[in-house]
């Protein structure tokens, strides 16, 4: 994909071709799409009647380079609904441009999927959080700035950030979690540009501005989703808790290990929500 892409028309040409490919491969008419975060890629394996399409086969689909991101689209049944799972994403810290970071979201919108579930691995900033907790994202703070900012031209519409994360879907997630005995934390997700994990001073800043979790993804995807009219549910898997007294250098390895363990509960929660759609 060209780095010169500036507006929706150019960028969405690839999306159109990608959508046609997925339709030909039998993606069906999904009720929901799920974007998986670091270490969560095994999730896609649990779909029923799964059709797996490698990202390499999908025109324009940027391939993840970071370990823990599988790089395939899986179409199948989840909680009795047809779902489309994107196993692997690309990030701004990989030097990816907004058109690439938002590619899957634009594809989901083009396919007419009404509900987008975004998941991620995140550092927990609430002293009550433990590694392995799932956090329902109530809202987000963007600390992604600079030339990689998403533009309204690419979004092709007005960003609607007043209810970026659907209250209706949050309510469904609370009920599904209670029914399945899953402890569900809640809070605000702060998206940083990365590539570094945060310094103690940055952790202090993030807590001061009201964040309960910090990660390096999700924010631009959700911005795009609001412009394209998708209803969004966001779930963070807390993979580390970098708080004073509990601080140690976070490693990608520990983030992946927590992802493997938490993935099953995440799958259960999302299928519970799918059942209720
Ligand atoms: N910071 C940023 N991104 C992350 C973290 C973190 O502590 N954990 C997992 N992804």
């Amino acid at each position: 994909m060209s780095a010169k892409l500036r507006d929706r028309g150019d960028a969405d040409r690839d999306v159109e071709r990608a959508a046609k490919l997925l339709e030909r491969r039998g993606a069906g008419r999904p009720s929901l799409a799920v974007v998986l975060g670091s270490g969560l890629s095994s999730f896609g394996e649990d779909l029923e009647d799964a059709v797996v399409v490698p990202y390499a086969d999908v025109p324009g689909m940027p391939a993840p380079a970071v370990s823990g991101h599988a790089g395939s689209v899986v179409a199948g049944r989840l909680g009795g609904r047809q779902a489309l799972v994107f196993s692997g994403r690309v990030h701004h810290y990989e030097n990816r441009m907004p058109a690439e970071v938002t590619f899957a979201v634009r594809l989901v919108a083009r396919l007419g999927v009404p509900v987008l579930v975004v998941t991620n691995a995140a550092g927990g900033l609430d002293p009550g959080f433990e590694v392995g907790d799932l956090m329902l994202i109530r809202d987000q703070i963007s600390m992604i700035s600079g030339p990689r900012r998403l533009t309204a031209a690419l979004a092709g519409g007005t960003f609607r950030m007043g209810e970026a994360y659907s209250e209706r879907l949050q309510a469904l997630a609370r009920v599904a979690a209670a029914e399945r005995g899953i402890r569900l934390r809640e809070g605000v997700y702060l998206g940083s540009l990365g590539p570094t994990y945060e310094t103690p001073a940055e952790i202090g800043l993030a807590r001061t501005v009201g964040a309960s979790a910090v990660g390096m993804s999700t924010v631009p995807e959700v911005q795009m989703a609001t412009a394209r009219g998708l209803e969004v549910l966001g779930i963070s898997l807390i993979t580390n808790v970098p708080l004073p007294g509990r601080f140690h250098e976070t490693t990608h390895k520990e983030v992946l290990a927590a992802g493997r363990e938490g993935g099953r509960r995440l799958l259960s929660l999302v299928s519970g929500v799918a059942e209720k759609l």
Side-chain angles (χ1 to χ4, degrees):
M1 189 182 293
S2 159
K4 287 199 223 97
L5 284 180
R6 249 179 307 257
D7 64 29
R8 173 177 184 169
D10 283 348
D12 278 359
R13 263 194 280 283
D14 271 344
V15 168
E16 189 58 36
R17 290 164 58 222
K20 294 223 161 78
L21 182 281
L22 289 181
E23 284 164 351
R24 275 202 305 279
R25 296 267 183 107
R29 292 198 62 69
S31 302
L32 74 161
V34 186
V35 177
L36 296 179
S38 294
L40 295 169
S41 56
S42 65
F43 186 112
E45 294 161 12
D46 292 303
L47 264 58
E48 295 159 44
D49 304 323
V51 176
V52 180
V53 182
Y55 281 180
D57 291 0
V58 183
M61 188 86 203
V66 181
S67 68
H69 289 268
S72 52
V73 193
V74 187
R77 310 279 300 171
L78 180 68
R81 306 270 169 197
Q82 186 66 23
L84 198 59
V85 176
F86 291 83
S87 194
R89 59 153 63 93
V90 297
H91 309 79
H92 284 303
Y93 67 73
E94 299 169 72
N95 233 359
R96 298 296 198 156
M97 300 304 283
E100 299 171 291
V101 171
T102 62
F103 190 86
V105 175
R106 291 180 292 122
L107 181 53
V108 166
R110 159 60 184 78
L111 289 167
V113 184
V115 166
L116 175 69
V117 181
V118 284
T119 70
N120 55 56
L125 304 179
D126 182 317
F129 287 5
E130 284 163 32
V131 170
D133 277 345
L134 296 179
M135 187 191 91
L136 179 63
I137 305 178
R138 285 205 298 248
D139 207 349
Q140 71 181 25
I141 298 170
S142 173
M143 292 210 2
I144 294 174
S145 59
R148 297 197 185 94
R149 239 187 329 239
L150 190 55
T151 62
L154 176 64
T158 312
F159 298 113
R160 296 179 196 284
M161 305 309 290
E163 192 186 319
Y165 294 86
S166 157
E167 299 281 355
R168 180 183 85 95
L169 295 179
Q170 288 180 55
L172 296 186
R174 289 185 190 104
V175 176
E179 283 175 0
R180 288 163 184 249
I182 297 168
R183 182 171 65 185
L184 188 59
R185 311 295 203 166
E186 299 195 12
V188 171
Y189 174 91
L190 182 146
S192 81
L193 190 53
T196 58
Y197 293 106
E198 293 66 35
T199 63
E202 287 163 344
I203 295 295
L205 171 70
R207 293 178 74 195
T208 303
V209 298
S212 306
V214 56
M216 304 176 201
S217 66
T218 303
V219 158
E221 294 163 27
V222 173
Q223 289 170 339
M224 176 59 84
T226 72
R228 299 280 169 115
L230 298 172
E231 196 181 6
V232 176
L233 175 70
I235 312 282
S236 290
L237 171 68
I238 303 300
T239 57
N240 55 298
V241 182
L243 292 175
R246 293 161 76 176
F247 188 86
H248 64 279
E249 285 303 337
T250 303
T251 64
H252 191 52
K253 210 168 143 205
E254 88 180 276
V255 169
L256 295 187
R260 281 190 290 275
E261 191 279 320
R264 302 224 65 81
R265 265 172 299 127
L266 185 71
L267 175 72
S268 172
L269 178 61
V270 177
S271 22
V273 172
E275 272 174 11
K276 296 175 193 310
L277 286 175

